Amino acid sequence: MKNVVLVGMPGCGKSTVGVILAKTLGLCFVDTDLLICAKEESTLQNIIETKGLEYFEKAECEVGEKLSVNNTVVATGGSMILYESAIKSLKKAAVVVYINVSLPELKRRLTNIKTRGITFAKGETLEDIFNIRTPLYKKYADITINADDFTIEETVTKLTELLK
């Protein structure tokens, strides 16, 4: 099986769905945010606060461009979609799945928005990044699943069916 690359807004469930989907499909699992944390020996939020947003963006893009895996579910950071070279590299050997969650549902889910390591430019809101990223998620997705009304298990079940 090709890789499965999960894209979507922070809080849509990429990491949680990814782990369970990988187990269900008998694949490996990689979270690009965790790769960045391991490389930097820091949290995403701390990297952004101490080294700056530009440094973080460069690190995230580099992880996407250089990641080389097979038979793996890849949960990307929510902003990975902003780096065309990275998403095209990830898409080469993968099915890209957009986990679509509405803005009101994201606002409900994201209770730790200030400490989560979300890449906000100065003055940007969750609504701003939602409006910027949503067209890109749609552009690169091979499969879109609307997950507002699904539990994690229901999302995994639906994705498993769609990936067969």
Side-chain angles (χ1 to χ4, degrees), residues 19-74:
V19 169
I20 299 168
L21 183 63
K23 287 180 179 182
T24 302
L25 297 175
L27 301 175
C28 297
F29 174 76
V30 171
D31 185 315
T32 61
D33 282 347
L34 295 178
L35 294 177
I36 295 167
C37 290
K39 181 181 177 220
E40 296 291 328
E41 298 180 346
S42 186
T43 65
L44 298 178
Q45 189 63 39
N46 192 53
I47 296 165
I48 293 167
E49 288 175 0
T50 60
K51 296 186 176 182
L53 187 57
E54 190 174 310
Y55 179 91
F56 175 82
E57 290 171 343
K58 184 177 176 193
E60 185 173 41
C61 181
E62 188 175 288
V63 165
E65 289 173 339
K66 293 183 178 180
L67 186 65
S68 179
V69 293
N70 293 305
N71 299 316
T72 301
V73 175
V74 179

Side-chain angles (χ1 to χ4, degrees), residues 121-134:
K122 195 169 188 93
E124 230 175 9
T125 66
L126 184 63
E127 185 172 354
D128 294 332
I129 66 171
F130 181 87
N131 290 333
I132 291 166
R133 295 177 187 180
T134 296

Side-chain angles (χ1 to χ4, degrees), residues 81-114:
I81 202 74
L82 298 173
Y83 318 113
E84 185 176 23
S85 59
I87 202 67
K88 283 186 174 180
S89 179
L90 289 167
K91 190 173 171 72
K92 281 181 188 173
V95 174
V96 176
V97 175
Y98 169 33
I99 302 176
N100 182 22
V101 174
S102 69
L103 185 58
E105 178 62 11
L106 289 171
K107 286 179 178 178
R108 187 190 70 74
R109 292 183 186 189
L110 290 171
T111 58
N112 60 344
I113 201 161
K114 299 289 185 203

